Amino acid sequence: MRAAAVAFYGAALGLLLVGLRELLTGFEENRCSMTYMFEYPEYRRVSLPRRVARLYPAYGLYLYGEGLYAQETRALKLSGAPVLFLPGNAGSYKQARSLGSVALRKAENMEGGVHLNVFTVDFNEELVALYGGSLLRQTHFLHESIKAILRLYKLKTPPQSVALVGHSMGGVVARALFTLPRFNPHLVSLIITQASPHMAPVLALDPYLLDFYTAVRQKWVNQAAQLRNITVLSVGGGYRDYQVRSGLTSLPCPPGDPNKLSLVVTAVPRTWVSTDHLSIVWCKELVLATVRAFFDLIDAQTRQFTDDPERRRSILNHHFIRHPVRMPRDVQDTSVPILDVPEAWSEVNSLRLSYRTPKEGQLKYFLFALPSRRNAYSHFYCRSNNLETSSWVFGCLHGNASSCGRAVDLSMGTELLPAYKVLVLSLADLSSFTHLVVSASNLNSKQFTVECEWQREESLTRPVSVPHVLSFGFQASDVTVNSSGLLHNIQLLHFHQVYQAFRISVVSHCRGTRDRLPGVYRMRVPWFREDSFTTASAPSATEMSGMLHTSRPDNSSSVLLQLHTAPNCQYKVSVRTSFPKVLGQVLRFCGPLVPVYTAVALLLACGGQLSSILASGRAADMSEAVGGALQLHKVNLPVYLLHILLSCCRDLLPPEDALPPTPPDEALPEWAESGEEWRHLLAPLLYVLGATVAFWASALLRLLVRLASLLLAPLHRPSVSRGAGTLRLRTRLLLAVCLAAAGSTSCGALAIAAASLLHLNRVLRLQMTERSLSHMLNLAPRKQKPAANGAPEAGEHGLLSEGALQEVRDDLQLHLSLAALLLLPAMLSAPSLLHWSRSLRFCTRLDPDPCWLHSVPLVCVSLLLINCNTLQLSNSRLLPLVSCLPLPLAVTMATFSSLHLYRIVYFLSAVLVPLGVCCVL
């Protein structure tokens, strides 16, 4: 039985490691360029009012500078547009150097002295992603910092608002400003967040974190009309960011609000790379896009950020969503004259144009007649790798085969791709034009390529059903594109859930060896801006990953694989399920459930120990107890039935643990509705993974206890009784008072950690006693006396020694199970302890303390359990009742702790407290 359990949990551990490997390394290499400082960075501290400095001694406000600019701003006489950077979880204020340095270099090329003043806030590198008690304090300090920044400007037209750039939890704090009762919303009109988990916290280890999120969410959802003019842009890092998945960076707001933009960095024009959680701050491609947007947002008259929300939205759309190569402000008169040079005009009568400019500069226009193509074709597609010219496609109002007197610029619909710019025009929108004009002029003598063609909409898209997620890669969906077209769409049917993951290979074969523009393969997701791009030459074999950051919220269209192909080439697309990537997606989206099911397994293992003591008076081996804790029919089935019951009786029963309910007009998150059912379907797998963690963690605990007992054996007086490591009543009372006092005056997590260490000392003493007794029995031969029938009989000493050894072993197995349960609260409260230790120089007491309330019962229980043994439990009248508690509490824990991880401690205390009482009664 033990060998079968080891084999099963070994295989499950292999699955877990495969999923972790995909989660942590199964993505593209870091293709971000590093931003470098050209001069030594300086951080000038901004003086704050005494009241503010006294209330927030751990925080600070700084102005970033380099070289001459740093010298000019020593007196803090500023005239630029203010930008304030907010670091995130454990983030440093010095992370603003990438944004500040690039902004300084950009200002050198600007006319009129337009520049940015980049400020940064020092939040003492607090762990606010794991401890939420400081979030409100950071929000209040941010409010004071904004007012202090605006007071620095002594101009005729000083700035009225500050632009905020928030990384990680800094972006959440930026949005939390508007929940403050005395905050003036006009002080902030633009917020850009980078890898900020707006939808929900990554791990909710204390109630303050969720209360903070609830307040922010209610403010931005319930008062969306009042905050409509506040422009917020949220950028997710993509698959490289395994700390904050991009689905959490989506802004919870009504979909009709155009000023709230959410996207993934892979879809940002001129960036097209995935970033990890830290590199999103210094990734040069994204920093350049951010700085360009800031400078374009500056009004030329006031030299401050524009107050026009439509202009802000237009500029952010240009730099972060759809880059048409030209700025919106450049579009004034779309009707432009075309030079009347007869030799520069060429009419194209074929279905396709492929033209490469000569080395010598020339004026060149191509004419495409529209009347003869309207009935047979629906679209006109054109692309060019000349990124310097913004106006390149025109609609001719009155033209002929040799010229066009006046035309309308149609280039605003251009979209920038990694290798070239693309324009797709619908012929239905061109009824007022007689011809299309494509400019291929290269007066600067630079060579480039222009390719255009007429297209039929019905022939562009080929549907293909993706393989089932349980096909394990043995089944493939293939589609071959035998066409000379430049654009093809592969609609991936039934691909709309986040747990799906595919390996998509595109193999191209071409006729001829001439130079071609590279192919661009675009994974387009209709319901979220998470497009990804892959560039490949032709011919070539390319493999891509097909995964989603968000599930489809409604019955919108499926994912589209868009192929910008080379002419006269054949493309074969093959789609296979990647089971390792499926496991990675499961851990990415449901990883917080694994510790919940780990606690469930340890709780059921403790219940198995109690049942064994109740039945036989002996404790079961810990490995067998933990190995038998995987009871799918006793946990997952009741959890699912309870889910159905809670869904039907929402008004009468407490809500199930999930994200807050979504208003009817708000975009649905993947957890709230569409993701809820598949999360329950994956619950058995998550239970297996959680039980696997419990099994091997308990094995590691036993190994560490044995190693520690070997190291401490020379310092231990040999004992032959089961009372090794017990404490007297007076000692336990003194320890309880001291630990409770320490927890209330400093940090509750400190008291919990100390109590668990005291119990570990009991486990170590039992382990050393068990080894001493074993050695004594092995070294001392048994005395035998003849029985009445002449057969040998064990002596009294041998019987006593074997009985004492068995008692110690039983107590050891019991206390190993209890130690695993007591270590869980210590681990879950570790962020609070770490936060307290890092803030000791400013304050000796953690305020607020999420662990203080349950630290007192846990300390008392730990001290009661130190003296507990199997004999006391077997004689307790409460044991039959206590042994029935673990299973219903495990089911309740799995139902109500998936998002609120801190509730695990409450359910563990609900078992440990009665168990401690059993040791007394």
Side-chain angles (χ1 to χ4, degrees):
M1 182 65 182
R2 183 176 298 181
V6 171
F8 173 80
Y9 286 110
L13 179 63
L15 290 179
L16 180 61
L17 293 177
V18 168
L20 286 174
R21 180 181 178 276
E22 283 296 325
L23 176 65
L24 302 178
T25 64
F27 39 71
E28 65 183 49
E29 62 180 6
N30 193 348
R31 294 187 288 118
C32 277
S33 303
M34 176 66 76
T35 50
Y36 295 97
M37 283 78 253
F38 292 91
E39 296 176 280
Y40 189 79
E42 297 184 27
Y43 302 89
R44 177 73 52 192
R45 191 176 184 103
V46 179
S47 298
L48 298 173
R50 291 183 179 180
R51 177 187 61 85
V52 177
R54 186 177 63 255
L55 287 175
Y56 311 101
Y59 301 158
L61 176 64
Y62 296 85
L63 172 67
Y64 179 85
E66 294 178 12
L68 181 61
Y69 170 79
Q71 297 178 8
E72 293 175 347
T73 56
R74 285 185 185 277
L76 295 178
K77 295 181 179 179
L78 309 176
S79 60
V83 176
L84 179 57
F85 175 80
L86 310 177
N89 178 57
S92 170
Y93 66 96
K94 295 182 179 180
Q95 290 176 307
R97 59 183 177 267
S98 297
L99 180 67
S101 181
V102 173
L104 287 176
R105 301 287 84 74
K106 175 74 173 177
E108 293 175 355
N109 302 322
M110 299 297 295
E111 298 179 356
V114 175
H115 64 283
L116 303 179
N117 298 133
V118 178
F119 297 85
T120 178
V121 173
D122 180 14
F123 283 140
N124 194 31
E125 301 184 12
E126 293 178 333
L127 299 172
V128 287
L130 304 177
Y131 169 72
S134 293
L135 286 171
L136 189 59
R137 188 182 302 117
Q138 289 188 1
T139 307
H140 282 286
F141 180 77
L142 175 59
H143 184 199
E144 298 293 341
S145 298
I146 292 174
K147 292 190 292 184
I149 290 172
L150 295 178
R151 285 196 296 265
L152 295 175
Y153 290 84
K154 311 298 182 181
L155 307 174
K156 294 182 179 180
T157 56
Q160 302 299 317
S161 65
V162 177
L164 302 182
V165 178
H167 171 241
S168 187
M169 292 300 294
V172 182
V173 171
R175 293 176 61 240
L177 268 176
F178 297 86
T179 64
L180 300 180
R182 297 185 179 181
F183 177 72
N184 181 4
H186 298 290
L187 296 181
V188 174
S189 58
L190 173 62
I191 302 174
I192 296 179
T193 68
Q194 301 169 339
S196 299
H198 296 293
M199 190 67 71
V202 178
L203 293 174
L205 297 179
D206 64 62
Y208 306 117
L209 193 60
L210 280 174
D211 292 344
F212 185 82
Y213 265 86
T214 301
V216 175
R217 183 186 182 93
Q218 289 178 351
K219 180 68 176 182
W220 285 85
V221 170
N222 298 337
Q223 300 184 19
Q226 292 89 329
L227 302 176
R228 190 176 181 87
N229 290 333
I230 309 299
T231 304
V232 184
L233 172 68
S234 175
V235 182
Y239 292 108
R240 285 192 59 86
D241 189 353
Y242 53 81
Q243 298 183 42
V244 177
R245 57 183 176 86
S246 296
L248 290 179
T249 63
S250 177
L251 292 169
C253 60
D257 190 347
N259 293 317
K260 309 300 182 291
L261 307 173
S262 304
L263 50 90
V264 181
V265 67
T266 55
V268 176
R270 305 174 75 173
T271 303
W272 300 304
V273 296
S274 179
T275 62
D276 58 53
H277 196 62
L278 293 180
S279 66
I280 196 172
V281 176
W282 53 258
C283 181
K284 184 177 180 179
E285 289 77 5
L286 183 61
V287 172
L288 285 173
T290 305
V291 171
R292 290 178 186 131
F294 276 139
F295 276 92
D296 289 337
L297 286 167
I298 295 178
D299 186 272
Q301 302 296 326
T302 63
R303 296 197 299 179
Q304 298 297 329
F305 292 118
T306 179
D307 295 329
D308 186 2
E310 293 186 2
R311 177 169 171 78
R312 289 198 300 266
R313 181 176 68 251
S314 176
I315 291 174
L316 292 180
N317 269 280
H318 170 84
H319 287 284
F320 289 93
I321 295 178
R322 187 183 180 93
H323 199 303
V325 189
R326 62 187 301 178
M327 287 299 302
R329 64 170 179 264
D330 297 337
V331 184
Q332 297 176 358
D333 184 10
T334 58
S335 180
V336 294
I338 302 293
L339 294 178
D340 188 12
V341 182
E343 60 271 15
W345 293 87
S346 298
E347 185 176 16
V348 180
N349 295 317
S350 60
L351 299 180
R352 182 178 299 106
L353 166 70
S354 181
Y355 176 77
R356 182 168 179 80
T357 59
K359 296 181 179 180
E360 300 80 15
Q362 67 171 12
L363 196 66
K364 191 68 176 180
Y365 295 102
F366 291 99
L367 271 171
F368 295 82
L370 281 170
S372 60
R373 305 294 185 183
R374 295 187 193 275
N375 296 330
Y377 299 94
S378 61
H379 290 81
F380 179 77
Y381 173 94
C382 203
R383 66 190 183 195
S384 172
N385 59 353
N386 177 22
L387 304 182
E388 297 182 357
T389 305
S390 57
S391 299
W392 62 298
V393 177
F394 309 89
C396 188
L397 295 172
H398 302 288
N400 51 48
S402 59
S403 66
C404 177
R406 195 165 189 84
V408 175
D409 190 359
L410 304 177
S411 305
M412 274 306 296
T414 302
E415 185 172 16
L416 192 63
L417 298 184
Y420 34 72
K421 57 186 179 183
V422 170
L423 178 63
V424 181
L425 298 173
S426 174
L427 300 191
D429 300 331
L430 306 176
S431 58
S432 59
F433 303 111
T434 59
H435 292 77
L436 289 177
V437 179
V438 176
S439 173
S441 303
N442 65 331
L443 300 180
N444 56 5
S445 302
K446 290 186 177 180
Q447 288 187 293
F448 59 88
T449 302
V450 176
E451 294 180 342
C452 305
E453 71 172 3
W454 302 97
Q455 294 179 339
R456 296 186 182 92
E457 185 177 11
E458 58 274 10
S459 62
L460 290 177
T461 304
R462 299 273 306 270
V464 57
S465 296
V466 297
H468 195 272
V469 70
L470 296 180
S471 63
F472 300 102
F474 297 108
Q475 178 186 356
S477 297
D478 299 330
V479 59
T480 302
V481 178
N482 289 309
S483 173
S484 57
L486 302 177
L487 175 66
H488 303 279
N489 295 322
I490 309 297
Q491 190 172 11
L492 304 177
L493 302 177
H494 315 299
F495 181 23
H496 49 74
Q497 292 291 351
V498 293
Y499 62 82
Q500 296 174 292
F502 304 98
R503 288 185 295 108
I504 303 175
S505 64
V506 181
V507 181
S508 59
H509 301 279
C510 302
R511 297 190 298 268
T513 58
R514 66 185 182 88
D515 293 336
R516 298 179 175 86
L517 289 177
V520 176
Y521 311 144
R522 178 180 190 175
M523 187 74 67
R524 191 163 195 164
V525 181
W527 57 86
F528 191 57
R529 298 184 185 96
E530 54 177 287
D531 296 5
S532 58
F533 297 83
T534 302
T535 304
S537 59
S540 65
T542 305
E543 187 169 291
M544 302 178 294
S545 297
M547 298 183 293
L548 295 175
H549 295 289
T550 55
S551 292
R552 185 176 64 182
D554 49 28
N555 293 324
S556 58
S557 57
S558 300
V559 177
L560 200 67
L561 177 59
Q562 200 174 68
L563 306 178
H564 295 267
T565 58
N568 301 318
C569 293
Q570 181 188 72
Y571 289 80
K572 181 180 180 181
V573 181
S574 180
V575 183
R576 292 180 181 271
T577 296
S578 175
F579 188 66
K581 293 187 180 299
V582 170
L583 293 176
Q585 286 289 87
V586 170
L587 292 179
R588 177 176 283 110
F589 284 85
C590 300
L593 287 175
V594 174
V596 176
Y597 282 109
T598 299
V600 166
L602 292 176
L603 194 58
L604 293 181
C606 182
Q609 292 275 27
L610 298 180
S611 299
S612 176
I613 295 173
L614 181 64
S616 61
R618 294 181 52 187
D621 187 84
M622 185 184 180
S623 60
E624 294 181 1
V626 179
L630 184 60
Q631 303 174 20
L632 297 174
H633 60 291
K634 292 185 179 181
V635 175
N636 288 126
L637 183 59
V639 167
Y640 188 69
L641 294 177
L642 189 57
H643 159 68
I644 297 176
L645 180 63
L646 293 174
S647 301
C648 298
C649 307
R650 294 182 177 179
D651 298 332
L652 302 177
L653 297 175
E656 187 181 7
D657 205 16
L659 287 181
T662 306
D665 59 343
E666 186 182 348
L668 295 173
E670 69 270 18
W671 272 41
E673 296 293 340
S674 60
E676 192 67 25
E677 293 303 325
W678 70 261
R679 193 159 60 92
H680 284 287
L681 294 176
L682 289 175
L685 174 61
L686 297 171
Y687 188 9
V688 170
L689 297 180
T692 300
V693 173
F695 182 85
W696 293 109
S698 62
L700 179 62
L701 176 63
R702 296 195 304 273
L703 178 62
L704 293 177
V705 167
R706 290 178 181 177
L707 292 176
S709 65
L710 283 174
L711 296 175
L712 298 176
L715 305 177
H716 173 246
R717 175 185 291 182
S719 174
V720 293
S721 69
R722 68 194 313 173
T726 57
L727 301 174
R728 295 179 181 180
L729 178 60
R730 182 180 301 176
T731 305
R732 285 187 289 166
L733 289 176
L734 181 61
L735 285 173
V737 172
C738 292
L739 290 179
S744 60
T745 58
S746 57
C747 176
L750 178 64
I752 295 175
S756 62
L757 289 177
L758 286 174
H759 186 267
L760 270 181
N761 175 66
R762 164 73 160 151
V763 177
L764 284 172
R765 293 300 185 98
L766 284 172
Q767 181 67 55
M768 289 186 282
T769 301
E770 189 267 345
R771 178 176 290 104
S772 299
L773 284 173
S774 299
H775 289 172
M776 290 173 59
L777 285 176
N778 291 333
L779 294 176
R782 297 181 183 179
K783 298 179 180 180
Q784 295 184 347
K785 58 182 181 180
N789 55 4
E793 186 180 70
E796 182 179 357
H797 176 75
L799 287 174
L800 290 176
S801 299
E802 289 184 358
L805 177 60
Q806 186 60 51
E807 290 175 353
V808 171
R809 284 177 175 171
D810 289 342
D811 291 349
L812 177 61
Q813 299 304 321
L814 172 64
H815 281 277
L816 281 171
S817 297
L818 294 177
L821 286 182
L822 291 172
L823 283 173
L824 273 178
M827 295 173 64
L828 291 174
S829 59
S832 296
L833 179 60
L834 185 59
H835 183 278
W836 169 77
S837 64
R838 298 176 65 173
S839 303
L840 272 177
R841 60 190 177 120
F842 302 106
C843 183
T844 58
R845 184 175 182 272
L846 183 64
D847 184 31
D849 189 353
C851 304
W852 180 82
L853 184 62
H854 53 264
S855 65
V856 175
L858 281 175
V859 166
C860 296
V861 165
S862 299
L863 295 175
L864 284 175
L865 292 176
I866 284 178
N867 285 17
C868 181
N869 57 55
T870 54
L871 180 61
Q872 290 177 341
L873 285 180
S874 61
N875 294 331
S876 175
R877 291 171 295 177
L878 297 179
L879 184 60
L881 177 62
V882 174
S883 62
C884 298
L885 291 178
L887 180 58
L889 287 175
V891 173
T892 312
M893 182 195 299
T895 305
F896 293 101
S897 299
S898 59
L899 184 62
H900 304 71
L901 293 182
Y902 62 89
R903 291 179 180 173
I904 294 176
V905 181
Y906 303 155
F907 291 108
L908 294 179
S909 301
V911 173
L912 292 173
V913 171
L915 187 58
V917 177
C918 282
C919 299
V920 180
L921 301 179

